[in-house]
């Protein structure tokens, strides 16, 4: 991280770069099931039920998914580029090894999403609630979680660089073996860490958050606190 100035001794946090998605005129999806290794360019999926379908390795470029059902949808190694996902919902969506670049995810309602090994770059997750998000071994760069609720997200072994949590509730997050750089947790309205407190050296927290984490930090370091 760059310093603010000579002799200041303070480190300047590098902020996340947000996506700038400008969709072209879109063509309505023609129906049927998405296909493995399918190529979708400039397509709008509006209220489409994709539950249980297999789009492994598919590419979505300049696409919009609006109010789509993704229960059990298989999208491992899929690529979402310059796209918007609004109001998507589903349980058990498989995004393992997927790539999301310049993507906005708005008001999602997801549970048990498997995104281990995924790559997220310039991604905005705004609003909604995501339960049990598996981001183990994933790579996140320039990612913003804003105004959303994350319940027991798993960042185990993941690499987070320039990641921000803004007005976001982070409950029972696991950072075990994760690597953090320029991660800003100060805007989290709720910060709960279930594992990996020792991996937060690349993060910035507020004074109030530090006080809330103090008992867990003391336990992690083996410090006994007595009155």
């Amino acid at each position: 991280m760059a310093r603010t100035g000579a002799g200041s001794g303070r480190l300047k946090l590098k902020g996340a770069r947000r996506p700038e998605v400008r969709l072209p005129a879109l063509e309505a999806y023609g129906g049927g099931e998405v296909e493995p290794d399918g190529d979708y360019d400039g397509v709008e999926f509006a209220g489409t039920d994709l539950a249980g379908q297999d789009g492994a390795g598919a590419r979505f470029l300049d696409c919009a998914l609006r109010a789509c059902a993704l229960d059990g949808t298989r999208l491992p190694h899929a690529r979402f580029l310059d796209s918007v996902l609004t109001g998507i919902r589903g349980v058990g969506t498989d995004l393992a090894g997927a790539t999301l670049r310049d993507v906005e995810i708005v008001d999602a309602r997801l549970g048990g999403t498997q995104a281990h090994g995924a790559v997220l770059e310039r991604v905005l997750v705004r609003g909604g609630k995501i339960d049990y998000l598996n981001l183990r071994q994933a790579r996140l760069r320039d990612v913003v979680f804003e105004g959303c609720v994350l319940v027991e997200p798993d960042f185990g072994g993941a690499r987070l660089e320039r990641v921000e949590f803004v007005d976001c509730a982070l409950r029972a997050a696991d950072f075990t073996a994760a690597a953090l750089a320029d991660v800003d947790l100060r805007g989290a309205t709720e910060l709960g860490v279930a594992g990996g407190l020792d991996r937060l050296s690349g993060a910035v927290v507020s004074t109030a958050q530090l006080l809330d984490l103090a008992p867990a930090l003391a336990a992690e370091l083996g410090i006994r606190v007595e009155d």
Side-chain angles (χ1 to χ4, degrees):
M1 293 184 289
R3 293 188 179 276
T4 57
S8 67
R10 295 175 61 88
L11 295 177
K12 182 178 179 181
L13 191 71
K14 295 179 181 177
R17 295 176 295 170
R18 297 188 176 216
E20 297 181 1
V21 183
R22 295 181 177 85
L23 294 176
L26 302 178
E27 178 181 348
Y29 182 56
E33 296 196 356
V34 293
E35 299 179 356
D37 299 316
D39 197 350
Y40 304 95
D41 191 342
V43 177
E44 180 178 30
F45 298 79
T48 309
D49 186 354
L50 302 175
Q53 296 187 24
D54 187 356
R59 185 186 74 123
F60 299 85
L61 173 64
D62 290 327
C63 287
L65 277 69
R66 309 187 197 277
C68 292
L70 299 176
D71 296 280
T73 306
R74 296 193 67 256
L75 294 164
H77 303 290
R79 289 173 292 161
F80 291 86
L81 312 171
D82 296 288
S83 295
V84 175
L85 288 67
T86 304
I88 57 174
R89 63 194 185 279
V91 175
T93 309
D94 185 357
L95 288 165
T99 297
L100 285 73
R101 183 174 296 119
D102 292 304
V103 169
E104 295 181 4
I105 302 173
V106 181
D107 294 332
R109 302 286 296 189
L110 299 171
T113 301
Q114 300 299 313
H116 48 278
V119 176
L120 284 68
E121 186 170 356
R122 292 187 301 277
V123 173
L124 170 64
V125 180
R126 186 175 68 240
K129 182 182 181 185
I130 305 177
D131 297 325
Y132 314 114
L133 174 61
N134 182 355
L135 283 167
R136 295 182 68 84
Q137 305 295 327
R139 289 182 291 155
L140 290 74
R141 176 181 291 178
D142 294 312
V143 176
V144 178
F145 295 95
E146 181 177 274
C148 58
V149 177
L150 302 178
V151 178
E152 296 189 31
D154 189 349
F155 297 101
R159 297 182 61 85
L160 288 74
E161 181 180 355
R162 296 193 299 272
V163 177
E164 298 178 10
F165 296 86
V166 181
D167 296 326
C168 175
L170 193 60
R171 300 175 182 167
D174 190 348
F175 292 100
T176 302
L180 280 60
D182 294 307
V183 173
D184 194 345
L185 293 164
R186 292 172 296 179
T189 57
E190 184 178 340
L191 177 57
V193 180
L197 280 167
D198 60 323
R199 310 301 295 187
L200 296 183
S201 60
V204 175
V205 299
S206 68
T207 301
Q209 289 170 334
L210 179 60
L211 293 174
D212 290 338
L213 291 172
L217 285 168
E220 181 79 18
L221 296 172
I223 299 173
R224 187 170 64 188
V225 181
E226 297 180 356
D227 294 328

